[in-house]
Amino acid sequence: MLNISIIVLFSFILVYSNIIILNEETLILICFITFCMIAFNKLKSTVSKDFEKSSNMVEAAVSKSLLELINSSESVFIYKNIFKKITLNLESLKTHFITFGIISSKALPKYIIKRAETTYPKRLIFSERLENQTSKLLALLLNYKLTQITNIQNFYTHDCKIATFLCINKITLREYIKIL
């Protein structure tokens, strides 16, 4: 920095030689320049500390944002690779699913025929057994009812001796004889 005494001496020489005219504006300019120099000399440590503090804060914020940007770009790159793998896996799954569908559609009629061949004979055998058993049951029930009817008819004709039953018996006997 220039020495103040040299500046003052140089100013007097310029004013004395009428190079610089001292009027109100020039005096205000000189006062402003001296104020700035004095303020700079007296406040430079405080202002520099404030500027350093602000620059450190800005530097920390920039470094933090750079780290976040690096981390986010790394995570984007990782997710991009994961999504590429997922799409490849989905494409291979699609091909496997298509081949499975083709193979199963070709094998489905054979499977249905084989299943029908195993289940229908069993069902038919079951229905045949059921039919035989129901016919036996119906025959037994019919036999039982007929024996009850004949027992009741014998009771009414021989034991009770009701005239209407005796007459019906004779009519049916005559009908049987005519048929023969």
Side-chain angles (χ1 to χ4, degrees), residues 8 18 27 46 48 56 60-61 151-152 159 177:
V8 171
N18 282 333
L27 287 175
T46 308
S48 75
N56 288 338
N151 287 338
I152 290 174
D159 294 338
I177 291 173

Side-chain angles (χ1 to χ4, degrees), residues 96-129:
H96 288 303
F97 185 71
I98 288 171
T99 55
F100 174 72
I102 291 169
I103 291 170
S104 63
S105 66
K106 287 180 182 177
L108 185 64
K110 294 176 186 175
Y111 172 73
I112 290 173
I113 290 169
K114 187 176 181 181
R115 187 170 173 207
E117 287 175 350
T118 58
T119 57
Y120 285 126
K122 290 179 183 178
R123 289 182 182 173
L124 290 174
I125 291 170
F126 174 73
S127 63
E128 184 182 3
R129 287 181 186 164

Side-chain angles (χ1 to χ4, degrees), residues 67-149:
L67 285 174
E68 288 178 359
L69 181 65
I70 289 170
N71 289 338
S72 66
S73 63
E74 286 176 353
S75 64
V76 164
F77 182 71
I78 289 170
Y79 287 133
K80 189 176 180 181
N81 288 336
I82 289 172
F83 285 135
K84 282 182 182 178
K85 289 179 183 177
I86 287 173
T87 55
L88 289 174
N89 288 340
L90 286 175
E91 287 177 7
S92 66
L93 182 65
K94 179 184 95 174
T95 57
H96 288 303
F97 185 71
I98 288 171
T99 55
F100 174 72
I102 291 169
I103 291 170
S104 63
S105 66
K106 287 180 182 177
L108 185 64
K110 294 176 186 175
Y111 172 73
I112 290 173
I113 290 169
K114 187 176 181 181
R115 187 170 173 207
E117 287 175 350
T118 58
T119 57
Y120 285 126
K122 290 179 183 178
R123 289 182 182 173
L124 290 174
I125 291 170
F126 174 73
S127 63
E128 184 182 3
R129 287 181 186 164
L130 185 65
E131 189 177 302
N132 289 336
Q133 289 175 357
T134 51
S135 64
K136 288 178 184 177
L137 181 66
L138 284 175
L140 288 174
L141 284 174
L142 190 60
N143 189 15
Y144 177 73
K145 288 293 182 181
L146 286 175
T147 54
Q148 279 187 346
I149 289 171

Side-chain angles (χ1 to χ4, degrees), residues 36-50:
C36 287
M37 289 176 61
I38 291 171
F40 179 74
N41 286 334
K42 296 292 181 181
L43 297 175
K44 76 177 174 182
S45 63
T46 308
V47 170
S48 75
K49 286 180 185 176
D50 189 39

